Amino acid sequence: MQQISQKILIVDDEKANRKILKELLQDEATIIFAKNGAQAIELARKHIPDLILLDVVMPDQSGFDVIEVIKNDPVTMSISVIFVTGLANSDDEERGFDLGGCDYIYKPFKANIVIARVMMHLELIQQRKMLDEIAHIDALTGI
């Protein structure tokens, strides 16, 4: 099977963080940016990315507020979300997982950790899509 081009939506209110993540991931997927929660929700609905890297602490809406909207919308509910945060707090981490996040990446970024976590999730997403495709195609007729 061919490699499917994947999309990542990076949501962070700090330009420097968006730039670092872009530099780390631009060879792995198409990158889309959002500067705030409202823009994140709009772009998630428009582009249906495979993965969202979502900052927890943002001025207008927290990442927790954003994921609640994304996970309650039938159009975006199946998008995987990795939280990006400078908060090393187990209560926040637990809350993020309870809201539907699939992983956490901590700031300051460690390049090899960011790449390893994102690549693992992109691979899982691609495998899930292939399984879904196989499950909906009749093996005998190809329909």
Side-chain angles (χ1 to χ4, degrees):
M1 292 203 168
Q2 83 219 33
Q3 179 73 20
I4 300 164
S5 177
Q6 293 177 298
K7 289 184 271 191
I8 300 172
L9 173 57
I10 296 173
V11 185
D12 199 306
D13 58 315
E14 292 194 29
K15 186 175 184 176
N17 291 332
R18 293 191 307 268
K19 186 175 190 255
I20 291 167
L21 291 169
K22 178 188 180 208
E23 287 172 5
L24 292 174
L25 302 170
Q26 65 188 356
D27 293 338
E28 312 304 335
T30 300
I31 307 294
I32 304 160
F33 296 106
K35 300 175 192 174
N36 57 49
Q39 199 176 50
I41 293 162
E42 177 187 333
L43 291 173
R45 286 179 179 140
K46 181 178 177 183
H47 294 284
I48 315 295
D50 298 285
L51 182 63
I52 298 174
L53 300 184
L54 181 58
D55 188 14
V56 174
V57 180
M58 296 184 289
D60 64 330
Q61 289 177 286
S62 75
F64 297 139
D65 296 332
V66 173
I67 196 173
E68 284 191 79
V69 173
I70 287 170
K71 292 299 181 181
N72 286 309
D73 183 335
V75 174
T76 56
M77 67 189 326
S78 64
I79 300 171
S80 296
V81 176
I82 297 177
F83 284 108
V84 177
T85 186
L87 307 172
N89 176 328
S90 62
D91 289 341
D92 283 337
E93 193 171 340
E94 184 177 3
R95 182 176 178 205
F97 285 124
D98 287 345
L99 291 170
C102 64
D103 208 343
Y104 267 82
I105 294 173
Y106 293 97
K107 299 175 192 175
F109 301 119
K110 290 187 172 50
N112 53 350
I113 292 174
V114 171
I115 292 167
R117 288 181 190 264
V118 169
M119 292 309 297
M120 178 190 63
H121 286 288
L122 287 176
E123 187 175 322
L124 289 170
I125 292 161
Q126 188 171 348
Q127 289 172 355
R128 185 179 67 223
K129 285 181 177 181
M130 286 191 301
L131 284 172
D132 189 54
E133 196 176 293
I134 290 167
H136 290 91
I137 294 175
D138 181 88
L140 189 60
T141 64
I143 297 173

